[in-house]
Amino acid sequence: MEAIVLAGGYATRMWPITRHRPKMFLPVGDRTVIDGVFADLEADDRIDTVYVSTNERFAGEFESYLADSDFEKPTVSVEDTTEESEKFGVVGALAQLIEREGVDDDLMVVAGDNMLSFDVASFVDFFEDAGAPTLAAYDVGSRERAKSYGLVELDGTEVIDFQEKPDDPKSTLVSIACYAFPRETLPELDTYLSDDNNPDEPGWLLQWLQERQRVEAFTFDGAWFDIGTASSYLDAVDYALGGETLVADDATVTDSQLGESVHVMPGATVEDADLSETVVFPDATVRGASLERSVVDEAATVTGVSLTGSLIGQHSRIDSDD
């Protein structure tokens, strides 16, 4: 079995903190977003190769990251794009990677910005027993939130209806970006694309498949985070930290109040500040400020202000005189 980790997005909704880094490298506790996916795939002996599908702009960062890691399976496979407007779409990129890399095996596909509470091995077990295209499904608990995803209706574990981003969801069970395809279904991607179907959202592909063959759903409890916005990222940090505070040994924190889910990273300085649900990146400085649900990127300085829901870019400077 082969696996593809989708990591080709530019995360424009999270700029400036993702303007110069893949969002998969954002820290969640003591590891990055993508580390959990890599670790699960690495541990499953059924998976031979992990292709990291990314763009030309971030390819070098992924290659350097993997070279310095203990992961042995991942290999970078590069889309020919450098900007959001040039993207082929997720399904288009998948079809190109399968052709480019000569993939001819059962295939698992998972988004690198997924933070999952289940072990990938459990998903692969389910897929092998099902012997059919399989998706992972999660109850988001909110009809409003369900509008942003592919809604699935099940008969047992079989998907009997699939609606991509419905205006009026009938339930809250949605498909997440974790799929598995038997080898014999891989040519269907080209058939799907040749019919001028939506090349971007894989949910449309699953809906198209469900109308033509059996599709199974692996459901799970626990937690799932689709890290596409600053809010979802901070929710993932909160989950990873369990509401606790994480301060690096070589960070400096003095005369400050650190509330729930605060992460202060190496080399950062926090003085006379009040922080809650906030991430302070390496070598950043927060002084005389109050921050809630905010991110202060590397080497940025925030002084004497009160901010909520803010993203402060690398090397930025914000103070009470601005």
Side-chain angles (χ1 to χ4, degrees):
M1 188 176 193
E2 313 293 336
I4 296 174
V5 177
L6 302 172
Y10 295 92
T12 55
R13 289 181 296 171
M14 298 180 70
W15 282 14
I17 64 170
T18 55
R19 190 180 184 101
H20 302 294
R21 70 162 65 85
K23 63 180 173 180
M24 297 81 180
F25 290 164
L26 292 172
V28 282
D30 58 2
R31 64 184 186 179
T32 69
V33 172
I34 205 169
D35 280 343
V37 173
F38 281 156
D40 278 1
L41 296 174
E42 189 81 16
D44 195 322
D45 292 338
R46 291 166 292 186
I47 296 172
D48 298 315
T49 304
V50 177
Y51 296 101
V52 183
S53 178
T54 191
N55 51 66
E56 287 186 339
R57 181 176 172 188
F58 290 138
E61 292 193 40
F62 275 100
E63 288 167 351
S64 297
Y65 181 82
L66 292 172
D68 291 338
S69 77
D70 294 328
F71 301 121
E72 297 181 356
K73 291 181 182 179
T75 181
V76 176
S77 187
V78 183
E79 304 170 14
D80 185 21
T81 67
T82 57
E83 300 292 341
E84 181 79 20
S85 60
E86 299 173 348
K87 286 185 63 179
F88 304 119
V90 174
V91 182
L94 277 177
Q96 290 197 8
L97 186 149
I98 289 169
E99 180 179 359
R100 182 170 64 246
E101 304 292 352
V103 176
D104 184 24
D105 202 348
D106 291 348
L107 180 65
M108 180 177 175
V109 179
V110 59
D113 58 359
N114 263 351
M115 190 167 157
L116 308 170
S117 65
F118 65 85
D119 190 323
V120 165
S122 300
F123 177 77
V124 176
D125 288 343
F126 181 93
F127 163 67
E128 290 186 335
D129 290 341
T134 299
L135 57 85
Y138 181 75
D139 189 343
V140 295
S142 161
R143 293 182 189 272
E144 186 62 31
R145 188 181 174 196
K147 292 179 182 180
S148 300
Y149 301 100
L151 190 74
V152 295
E153 181 181 348
L154 306 182
D155 181 3
T157 60
E158 182 178 356
V159 180
I160 58 174
D161 191 31
F162 191 110
Q163 295 180 313
E164 180 66 13
K165 297 182 179 178
D167 292 330
D168 184 22
K170 296 180 176 61
S171 77
T172 56
L173 186 66
V174 306
S175 171
I176 72 168
C178 180
Y179 317 99
F181 303 96
R183 172 189 299 180
E184 59 270 20
T185 66
L186 298 186
E188 298 286 358
L189 273 72
D190 288 332
T191 304
Y192 170 86
L193 290 168
S194 67
D195 288 341
D196 293 327
N197 289 298
N198 187 316
D200 192 34
E201 298 286 351
W204 291 110
L205 169 65
L206 270 297
Q207 180 174 332
W208 182 87
L209 280 174
Q210 183 269 326
E211 293 169 351
R212 289 160 175 78
Q213 61 180 282
R214 180 169 59 93
V215 173
E216 292 283 313
F218 169 87
T219 57
F220 65 98
D221 297 320
W224 165 65
F225 299 95
D226 169 23
I227 300 175
T229 65
S231 180
S232 61
Y233 167 57
L234 289 169
D235 287 344
V237 171
D238 178 54
Y239 177 80
L241 295 181
E244 299 296 323
T245 293
L246 178 61
V247 178
D249 290 341
D250 59 347
T252 300
V253 178
T254 57
D255 299 323
S256 295
Q257 180 67 41
L258 303 185
E260 293 185 353
S261 302
V262 172
H263 187 180
V264 182
M265 299 177 67
T269 299
V270 178
E271 297 177 353
D272 189 28
D274 186 352
L275 310 182
S276 65
E277 296 182 90
T278 290
V279 179
V280 182
F281 274 67
D283 303 317
T285 299
V286 179
R287 184 176 290 113
S290 176
L291 303 181
E292 180 180 358
R293 287 190 67 79
S294 296
V295 179
V296 183
D297 209 339
E298 294 182 20
T301 300
V302 180
T303 305
V305 295
S306 180
L307 301 173
T308 299
S310 297
L311 301 178
I312 313 302
Q314 294 179 6
H315 302 282
S316 298
R317 184 178 184 89
I318 296 179
D319 60 45
S320 56
D321 294 330
D322 291 342

